[in-house]
Amino acid sequence: MKIIGTGRAHPAFTLTNSMLEDILDTSNEWIMERTGITQRQIITDEKLEDLAAEAARQALDDAGLTAKDIDLLICSNVVNEYATPSLGCVVEGLIGAECPTYDINAACSGFVYALSMAEAYLRSGMFRRILILCAEEPTRMVSWQDRSTCVLFGDAAGAVVVTAGDEMKAIRITATPKRDVLRYERMLQPTPYITKSESDVPLVMNGREVFKTAVTSSIADVKGVLSDSGVDKDEVKYYILHQANVRIIEAIREHFKQPAEKFPRNVDKYGNTSSASIPVMLDEMSRKGCFKRGDKLVLSAFGAGFTTAACLIEWAK
Ligand code: UT7
């Protein structure tokens, strides 16, 4: 598998920490110190499907392809306004693709999970050109009265186009049942026969537990893909980690004793954009000219589930 195009889209509205001070018992200092976030782009009157379509079009343009050239669209999404049809189907209509599509929900690990699926399809020869699209609006899952969660998130879409190649050197995906540390419960339609109690609860998170699990599992995953690929940690050009909290990124960086510039961050300006965070970072860095062909990149993510995923790729563009 190799990545041949990237794209991204962000909502127009910038919500700064000082704006949050007006609606919550919080402070810019607390948010900065505990998370590294200064602002986030959040959905107002946009629709997630339009951001997703924009990211997809950019990735296709970057790859020199049109929507009709795509054999499969894998869409990573936790919530959007439709439970069905899939967001993939909605976006397909917007961009004019004519291929099978489905959504996956591996929470913030969704991008690397989707890469692992694409790798298997490409190896089998079943599909030749796959669009991976991660489109997320976590700001619609949190309570805006809950200062411990709503300050953390932002909305975004990120996309890549992948095709057959030898650039995926190692990939690992894991899941452990830990519903209590991070969950969002939605109320389903009642029926005349439902007798159990049900609740509609915004995102609930045990932040400290997520923090600890994220650091230990990401370190294990990164060690795993380094050892599977036979690459030394110093040979890696960039460690592109899920952008949730600069303290999590720092803890992982310190463990591997790597310089700060190898662990790029954009959580300061976008917040945690769930599975969109890694493809957004790839697109941002690619367009800034940060990557050269053959650069070794480690991608590593963690999320609700608890899911984790990491891979080691060589840059192919
Ligand atoms: O994609 C995965 C998504 N989730 C994550 O990645 C979350 C991982 N965890 C974290 O990033 C951190 O645990 C948080 C940023 C969520 C919290 O940081 P912390 O250093 O673990 O703080 P804490 O939860 O231990 O809370 C410390 C204090 C508490 O007050 P008391 O009980 O000590 O009086 C909180 O009530 O900070 C308070 N607090 C706040 N204060 C001001 C919590 N949120 C806020 C806030 N502003 N926004």
Side-chain angles (χ1 to χ4, degrees), residues 235-302:
E235 291 176 66
V236 174
K237 178 83 182 279
Y238 293 111
Y239 291 83
I240 299 179
L241 307 186
H242 172 47
Q243 301 289 302
N245 185 321
V246 292
R247 288 161 52 219
I248 295 177
I249 299 170
E250 271 304 283
I252 299 166
R253 182 183 75 76
E254 279 166 16
H255 176 88
F256 288 101
K257 300 188 172 51
Q258 295 293 302
E261 60 271 18
K262 281 196 176 188
F263 281 67
R265 304 160 179 184
N266 60 17
V267 66
D268 53 328
K269 52 184 179 174
Y270 300 134
N272 177 347
T273 60
S274 188
S275 71
S277 86
I278 293 180
V280 161
M281 177 73 94
L282 286 175
D283 182 62
E284 201 167 35
M285 293 184 72
S286 172
R287 285 174 199 272
K288 277 190 201 152
C290 299
F291 304 139
K292 289 195 311 290
R293 181 187 281 267
D295 279 348
K296 293 178 173 50
L297 310 180
V298 167
L299 315 181
S300 172
F302 57 86

Side-chain angles (χ1 to χ4, degrees), residues 24-27 30-31 34-35 108 146-149 151-153 182 203 205-212 214 242-245 247-248 272 274 302-304 306:
L24 288 168
D25 177 17
T26 191
S27 66
W30 191 96
I31 302 171
R34 304 290 177 122
T35 72
C108 305
D146 179 3
R147 65 179 185 172
S148 70
T149 55
V151 304
L152 304 174
F153 295 96
L182 182 51
L203 191 98
M205 182 175 73
N206 179 337
R208 285 186 182 189
E209 199 52 41
V210 173
F211 193 112
K212 279 189 277 177
H242 172 47
Q243 301 289 302
N245 185 321
R247 288 161 52 219
I248 295 177
N272 177 347
S274 188
F302 57 86
F306 203 83

Side-chain angles (χ1 to χ4, degrees), residues 160-234:
V160 300
V161 178
V162 297
T163 185
D166 187 31
E167 279 79 355
M168 173 63 80
K169 301 300 182 187
I171 190 156
R172 286 188 177 204
I173 58 174
T174 79
T176 317
K178 279 197 176 187
R179 186 174 12 182
D180 289 344
V181 300
L182 182 51
R183 69 179 184 283
Y184 167 54
E185 293 172 40
R186 264 181 304 184
M187 186 89 96
L188 301 178
Q189 291 294 323
T191 75
Y193 312 104
I194 288 290
T195 52
K196 62 196 169 188
S197 69
E198 295 189 326
S199 47
D200 194 357
V201 183
L203 191 98
V204 177
M205 182 175 73
N206 179 337
R208 285 186 182 189
E209 199 52 41
V210 173
F211 193 112
K212 279 189 277 177
T213 314
V215 173
T216 28
S217 59
S218 298
I219 288 172
D221 284 352
V222 172
K223 278 186 183 159
V225 294
L226 288 170
S227 120
D228 294 349
S229 57
V231 171
D232 186 84
K233 64 184 167 77
D234 296 337

Side-chain angles (χ1 to χ4, degrees), residues 61-105:
D61 274 0
D62 192 39
L65 298 175
T66 70
K68 300 275 187 291
D69 298 320
I70 294 300
D71 297 318
L72 176 70
L73 165 55
I74 305 174
C75 183
S76 164
N77 168 260
V78 180
V79 293
N80 73 85
E81 60 199 288
Y82 299 101
T84 194
S86 69
L87 185 59
C89 280
V90 172
V91 173
E92 189 173 71
L94 295 174
I95 64 174
E98 293 165 357
C99 63
T101 180
Y102 54 83
D103 290 2
I104 63 164
N105 176 353

